[in-house]
Every structure is written in C-alpha cells, then in structure tokens.
Amino acid sequence: MKYMNAKYILGAFCAMAIGLSSCTETWDDSPVLKTHDGAQTATFLNEPQMKSASVMITQDNKTSNLNLTCSQPDFGYAAAAAYQVQMSLTPEFTDYQEIRQSFYNCAQINPLYSDVASALEYLSDVRSEADLPLPYQKVYVRLKAFVPQDPDNTTFLSNVVSYDAISADYLAIWVSGVPVNIWLRGGMNGWGGGPFVPGSTTAAEWQFVTGPDQDTWVYNNVTIAAGEEFKIADDSWSSINLGGPGDDGPYTIEINKSVALTDNGKNLVVAENFTGNITLTLSDGNYSVKLTPAE
C-alpha cells in the first residue's frame, strides 16, 4: 500500500513537471514584437551577386528583375515581414525613390527593371525622351522592413549596397505636358494633324500632350462647331484611330460625360458649339474621352 502511494506521488510530481514544462514552452513561444519609434538601421541586406554587371534597361527587357536577398531583422520573433526597395544615387540617401511593390520572401526580393528604370529617371530628373538614354551610373539600394499588421509601424532600414552601372534608354515614368502622337483630326483642320516630331517639347496645333495622371492625354482650349465631325487619331491613322460606337452616322458626344471610344469607330460630333478641354483616358486597354467646357 505504501509502495503504491509512493508510485502515485511520484507520478503526480511527474505530471506536474510535464505540465510546468508545457506552460513554460507555451510562454516562450508567445511572440512579442520588439517595437521602437522611427526607423532603426540594421545590417540585413546581402551584397548583390550581379553588382558589377552593366545593366541597360530597355522596352524589351523591362519585365526582367534585379535580384536581392536578405536576412530578417530582429523583430523579436519570426514575424511575417514585408520589404520594400529604396534606391538613391548617393550612399547617404539624401534623395531616394521607393518602389511600391512589397516583397515577402528574403530570398526573392526581385524588383522589376521597369520599376528600377522609373526610380532612376525620377532621381535623374528626366523630363522627356530627349533626356535619354541615361549614362551608366552607380545606384545605391537599401530595404525597408516592416510588419504590415503592426499598429506601431515598427520599421527597420537595412545597410546600403550598390550596383556599379545601371542605365535606361526608354521613358519609364509618366511626365505631364509631353507632346505625343495623338491628334484631333476633323472638319476643323481638314482632317489633318501631324506629322509627329519625336523628342519635341512643344505641342503643335491640334496635338495632345500627356495629362497629369498616368494614361491620360489632354488637348486644351479647343473650339469645335456644332455638327463638325472629328476623330482622335495618330498622324497616320494606324495604331490610334478612335471614334464612336455604332454603325450609322456620326456619334454625338455628350458634354461633361466620359464616353467610351472604339477603334476605327464612327466620326464624332457635338450637338452645340463647344469650347474647352478634351481628356483622353486609357483604362484596362479601353479608351474614353471627356469634353469639359471652359469656365
């Protein structure tokens, strides 16, 4: 009997020990984020393997990638961190551009060449195709690491690494006010428009320029007489030849309303004399136009 009691007591102690051990492990495994104010600097970005290679970014290779790897900074536990790439032309990062795409795998931080070219052109103050190609230049890179779910916005900035020679030879950024090969063509100008002069910084009569927003083009201060037929097209009626939907007769544009256009569509007209601005927009591969009267 005493023997059985001793065994029972020993078993109870063992169970208690296991229970205590289990509680301790659960406590240790409870993640606690090491929060801090501001962006702390930590060394967690690896030197790129291709840092010495010369990279020319073109229209043909813009979907390729730079390849970066890192280790996760100390958030206090293996957090589901996100990383964004920042680029500068100086190691001090006095002026820099941040690529909007976030990455979630330390082994695959691969910004697109197109995003790299865009950052490089902003930093180089590119205003038009006349400023291209850029010279090969040294580009400095660092990472911003953060936990998206962290309400305190705990952030680390990595050490700085560099690529020795990166250039771009196409306009990867959206610059407003640049003349493009899009024209108002109709009865008001004998269906003329063009020829397009690549690299020109001054718009010709009837020529659209890039708008303030991505994939918009504007032609301001135009007068169109009621019933006067027109279309929006390039200088050769080839890649851009935009008109109204339907089959019969010209299509009447409603003022102050965005209207979908079709490729090689019908001629356009306005019901009343119009003076104001024309905005052409491309969204999901489809063009629309809006005529806004002058105030």
Side-chain angles (χ1 to χ4, degrees):
M1 189 70 172
K2 291 181 179 178
Y3 176 73
M4 293 298 294
N5 284 341
K7 288 186 64 178
Y8 176 83
I9 293 170
L10 181 60
F13 272 107
C14 287
M16 185 182 297
I18 293 172
L20 288 172
S21 174
S22 177
C23 288
T24 301
E25 289 174 3
T26 302
W27 178 265
D28 290 341
D29 288 342
S30 297
V32 177
L33 187 65
K34 291 183 178 179
T35 59
H36 55 256
D37 295 329
Q40 290 191 359
T41 302
T43 302
F44 59 92
L45 177 58
N46 299 323
E47 286 288 334
Q49 291 184 349
M50 302 294 291
K51 67 166 297 178
S52 299
S54 296
V55 177
M56 171 61 77
I57 302 175
T58 69
Q59 282 278 12
D60 293 335
N61 69 8
K62 65 182 181 180
T63 57
S64 298
N65 308 82
L66 287 184
N67 304 117
L68 294 164
T69 62
C70 71
S71 56
Q72 182 171 291
D74 185 12
F75 287 102
Y77 68 99
Y83 303 89
Q84 286 183 299
V85 178
Q86 297 179 347
M87 300 179 58
S88 178
L89 297 180
T90 63
E92 297 82 14
F93 273 73
T94 50
D95 186 20
Y96 67 89
Q97 285 287 312
E98 182 173 282
I99 292 175
R100 287 180 293 178
Q101 181 183 2
S102 294
F103 301 90
Y104 301 91
N105 185 339
C106 273
Q108 296 181 3
I109 299 175
N110 301 328
L112 287 168
Y113 274 5
S114 58
D115 289 335
V116 174
S118 177
L120 188 59
E121 290 175 13
Y122 275 116
L123 292 167
S124 301
D125 198 28
V126 169
R127 298 298 301 162
S128 72
E129 291 182 345
D131 298 324
L132 300 172
L134 289 173
Y136 284 101
Q137 51 198 314
K138 194 165 189 173
V139 177
Y140 298 89
V141 178
R142 70 184 180 190
L143 298 182
K144 180 179 77 175
F146 60 99
V147 179
Q149 296 79 18
D150 172 25
D152 296 321
N153 195 28
T154 301
T155 302
F156 285 95
L157 291 177
S158 78
N159 54 301
V160 176
V161 301
S162 64
Y163 287 88
D164 290 344
I166 298 181
S167 177
D169 75 347
Y170 80 101
L171 197 62
I173 60 176
W174 189 262
V175 180
S176 62
V178 176
V180 293
N181 191 16
I182 303 175
W183 307 79
L184 183 69
R185 308 185 66 174
M188 73 287 293
N189 59 9
W191 296 93
F196 176 59
V197 180
S200 174
T201 57
T202 304
E205 190 175 12
W206 315 112
Q207 185 176 18
F208 282 77
V209 299
T210 50
D213 301 315
Q214 180 85 29
D215 293 331
T216 64
W217 301 267
V218 296
Y219 182 31
N220 295 327
N221 304 318
V222 63
T223 296
I224 304 174
E228 192 167 50
E229 299 185 14
F230 63 94
K231 297 183 79 172
I232 297 174
D234 60 28
D235 61 359
S236 60
W237 299 98
S238 53
S239 59
I240 298 178
N241 181 0
L242 301 172
D247 298 319
D248 300 324
Y251 180 88
T252 301
I253 291 283
E254 187 174 343
I255 305 302
N256 265 332
K257 180 179 180 181
S258 183
V259 177
L261 299 179
T262 61
D263 183 46
N264 201 27
K266 297 191 304 182
N267 292 346
L268 305 169
V269 295
V270 289
E272 299 178 356
N273 292 341
F274 169 81
T275 297
N277 304 329
I278 303 176
T279 301
L280 179 68
T281 300
L282 177 64
S283 179
D284 296 327
N286 300 308
Y287 286 97
S288 61
V289 69
K290 184 176 181 180
L291 274 61
T292 307
E295 296 181 358

